[in-house]
Amino acid sequence: MRSVRVSTATRAALVAGLIAALLALGFAVWIHHQIYTSRYHTLEQKADQDRSLLAEEMRTYKTLRPQADLTFQPVDAAYEIIDDSGRVLEVGQVLGPFGRTPIAPAPHPGAPENDSRFVTVRALPLNAPCTSRQPPAYCDVARGMAGRRLWTSREIVPLERIKEGSAPGRSVVVSVFVLPFEAEEAAAEVDRVLARTLPLAVLLIMIGAYFGTRLALRPVERMRAQAAATSQRNLHERLPVPSTGDVVARLATTLNDTLARLEAAAEQQRGFVADAAHELRSPIASLRTTLEVAREHPDRADWRQVNDAAVREIHRLQQLADDLLLMARLDADRSTSRTPVDLAELVRRQLARRLGEGPDLGFESAESAIVDGDARQLDRLVRNLIDNAMRHARTTVTVRIEEQPGYVVLQVDDDGAGIKTADRERVFERFTRLDEARSRDAGGAGLGLAIAREIAHGHDSTLTAAEAPAGGARFTLTLQAPAGQTKTPPTE
């Protein structure tokens, strides 16, 4: 089943539409509640006012008469007046279809004079027609009241004695019902308006979000097109950076930095290939010349000397190939296996192999110096540093190992010509020879220190060049100890 692809602009429009719809729904609920509450509160106030006027008028009556001719008769109010026996004395026109049975029952003895509560209006009889005295509008209102719970503003009005000698304490109950129909109609009118306008507003927001997102993504599209056109031949070109200063501008800057690193890596690779080819040509040309001369003059050739020369050149080729292969492996895989390694033992073995080869060799160290690292790579690193020191030393090469809290420091000193301050970083570049007058046999291919620096970086360590106390060069390697590290190794 193929997944449906939705563009970023479409997703943004859908999300904006969803949020707008939720906000619109919340706004509709809030405005509906506000309109209804405001109008209903007005109706409550009117009901309280009508109840107060009716109660005040009832206090002036000297007799209890049904169908009392009240001076104040709110024709648009639903009210009823009953005596304490439950007999209906007066009802508003709206309650006409309910007959003479009271809707709000008489309060229980001891009830407060002002008692407001919800009452449930009974259902109208099925055969209760509207008489001519009730306008059709009032009949509709009465039918709307049937079966509903209405808020009732009620007051108990004590009356004077009906006639001399009668028992005092007679009273009537004035009840005015709050009809919510006006508030409901106002809220419904607002709902109808919102039902027509809010969907249109949500649609406009979605359309705006869609085209706004497409407009905002135009710089990204231009960057994509430029990046798609970038190849090895035009790595020097850069992506356009918008002047917005936002995340898009930061993305363009980051991509340009990435292109710069790729360009530098490509340049380094091309230089590495050219330097490797140049280095390979020298032993190959020397070997070819030796063999061709011997072939042209076989009777005068010293075949033992020819063989020795060929072996030397083949050895150079093999060493160069091994160095190139190791550099390729280090570039491809930066991870390094870590096991406890005795660095002092590695140095002793390397120095033992070089006894009697030239300069005097000195070694200062404890019996053992344990570090975390790859034994084969560290052995190669130590070998390269000692070989470099012996190549440039006049009389002496000194190796020291110092253990410090958290790390181990290896120092290799020679008493040669030393390294200028400006060249102390360049010596670690590949195929670098500072002394151009030296022969290639003595100077090597210029990969030893580069390999040593790569191995050091693979062990999260540092390798730096400085001046030795004897005036030559000092190479300092800082390696992490297996445990108990309390200091951070010095930076390069």
Side-chain angles (χ1 to χ4, degrees):
M1 181 178 180
R2 296 182 60 185
S3 59
V4 179
R5 295 183 178 180
V6 181
S7 66
T8 302
T10 302
R11 289 197 298 269
L14 293 176
V15 172
L18 177 60
I19 295 175
L22 293 176
L23 293 177
L25 180 61
F27 174 77
V29 173
W30 177 80
I31 197 67
H32 174 94
H33 175 75
Q34 292 296 320
I35 294 296
Y36 181 85
T37 302
S38 175
R39 300 302 292 271
Y40 191 85
H41 181 66
T42 302
L43 295 174
E44 283 183 325
Q45 290 178 335
K46 183 177 183 303
D48 287 339
Q49 183 180 8
D50 291 345
R51 184 258 305 160
S52 298
L53 293 174
L54 286 171
E56 184 64 27
E57 189 168 354
M58 289 300 299
R59 288 188 179 94
T60 64
Y61 276 89
K62 303 297 183 180
T63 60
L64 296 178
R65 297 179 300 164
Q67 302 297 331
D69 295 329
L70 299 175
T71 302
F72 173 72
Q73 292 185 344
V75 295
D76 59 342
Y79 71 93
E80 65 180 9
I81 304 174
I82 62 176
D83 61 13
D84 49 7
S85 64
R87 183 166 57 97
V88 177
L89 301 180
E90 180 70 32
V91 296
Q93 296 186 48
V94 177
L95 302 184
F98 291 94
R100 305 303 297 176
T101 304
I103 294 176
H108 59 80
E113 291 186 4
N114 294 333
D115 185 19
S116 300
R117 65 182 64 189
F118 277 106
V119 297
T120 302
V121 182
R122 68 179 185 275
L124 280 174
L126 295 178
N127 57 353
C130 284
T131 63
S132 58
R133 292 189 302 168
Q134 282 86 31
Y138 290 146
C139 293
D140 294 338
V141 173
R143 292 189 180 93
M145 292 174 57
R148 296 191 61 172
R149 285 173 55 84
L150 299 178
W151 181 257
T152 305
S153 179
R154 185 165 62 179
E155 184 176 349
I156 301 174
V157 183
L159 301 178
E160 298 178 0
R161 289 181 300 175
I162 299 177
K163 53 186 174 179
E164 195 70 25
S166 63
R170 300 297 300 274
S171 62
V172 295
V173 180
V174 178
S175 300
V176 180
F177 303 95
V178 179
L179 302 181
F181 306 120
E182 183 179 346
E184 292 175 352
E185 180 59 29
E189 180 63 26
V190 173
D191 291 343
R192 287 190 290 270
V193 174
L194 294 179
R196 293 191 296 267
T197 57
L198 290 183
L200 179 60
V202 171
L203 180 60
L204 292 177
I205 291 175
M206 292 180 66
I207 295 175
Y210 177 81
F211 287 102
T213 304
R214 291 193 61 179
L215 182 63
L217 290 178
R218 281 184 180 178
V220 179
E221 175 60 24
R222 288 195 293 267
M223 288 189 291
R224 185 208 62 80
Q226 180 67 28
T230 301
S231 63
Q232 190 174 2
R233 295 184 177 182
N234 60 346
L235 281 175
H236 60 280
E237 297 181 0
R238 296 293 179 262
L239 304 180
V241 180
S243 59
T244 55
D246 56 2
V247 65
V248 178
R250 293 194 295 272
L251 174 62
T253 302
T254 302
L255 291 177
N256 284 336
D257 293 341
T258 302
L259 287 176
R261 290 193 296 270
L262 289 175
E263 182 182 11
E267 290 292 337
Q268 183 180 10
Q269 183 181 18
R270 284 193 291 267
F272 180 77
V273 172
D275 291 338
H278 181 73
E279 293 295 332
L280 288 171
R281 288 178 60 186
S282 178
I284 291 175
S286 177
L287 179 61
R288 178 179 177 180
T289 301
T290 300
L291 295 177
E292 286 182 347
V293 170
R295 185 189 61 183
E296 293 296 331
H297 307 280
D299 52 341
R300 289 182 296 175
D302 185 348
W303 289 103
R304 183 177 182 84
Q305 184 179 0
V306 171
N307 181 72
D308 292 341
V311 170
R312 284 195 304 271
E313 297 302 330
I314 292 174
H315 178 71
R316 286 180 58 190
L317 284 172
Q318 182 179 4
Q319 185 177 6
L320 180 57
D322 291 342
D323 289 345
L324 293 175
L325 181 59
L326 180 57
M327 290 295 297
R329 289 175 178 174
L330 293 175
D331 289 339
D333 186 8
R334 294 287 180 176
S335 61
T336 303
S337 61
R338 302 295 179 90
T339 58
V341 179
D342 189 351
L343 185 63
E345 182 61 26
L346 294 181
V347 175
R348 289 191 188 97
R349 288 203 301 262
Q350 290 296 335
L351 293 177
R353 296 172 184 171
R354 289 161 177 78
L355 291 175
E357 292 186 2
D360 295 333
L361 302 178
F363 182 44
E364 300 175 10
S365 173
E367 183 65 26
S368 64
I370 306 300
V371 296
D372 275 335
D374 185 286
R376 295 181 60 184
Q377 291 188 11
L378 291 178
D379 185 71
R380 181 61 179 271
L381 189 155
V382 171
R383 187 181 78 184
N384 288 3
L385 292 180
I386 295 177
D387 286 345
N388 180 77
M390 292 184 65
R391 186 179 299 117
H392 299 290
R394 294 190 180 95
T395 59
T396 306
V397 172
T398 304
V399 182
R400 296 181 183 87
I401 296 180
E402 297 180 1
E403 293 187 81
Q404 300 180 14
Y407 51 94
V408 176
V409 178
L410 169 68
Q411 293 179 342
V412 180
D413 296 351
D414 64 70
D415 59 351
I419 304 174
K420 297 178 182 179
T421 304
D423 296 329
R424 288 174 184 172
E425 277 299 313
R426 197 163 67 89
V427 294
F428 295 106
E429 297 178 1
R430 302 174 184 184
F431 301 106
T432 298
R433 293 186 184 87
L434 300 182
D435 187 3
E436 298 296 341
R438 293 177 304 176
S439 66
R440 296 187 181 272
D441 292 332
L447 289 176
L449 294 180
I451 292 175
R453 171 66 73 86
E454 291 294 332
I455 294 175
H457 285 176
H459 286 75
D460 300 323
S461 303
T462 60
L463 177 61
T464 58
E467 183 179 359
R474 165 175 286 183
F475 289 88
T476 303
L477 172 68
T478 305
L479 291 167
Q480 294 181 0
Q485 180 174 337
T486 59
K487 294 184 179 180
T488 302
T491 58
E492 295 181 12

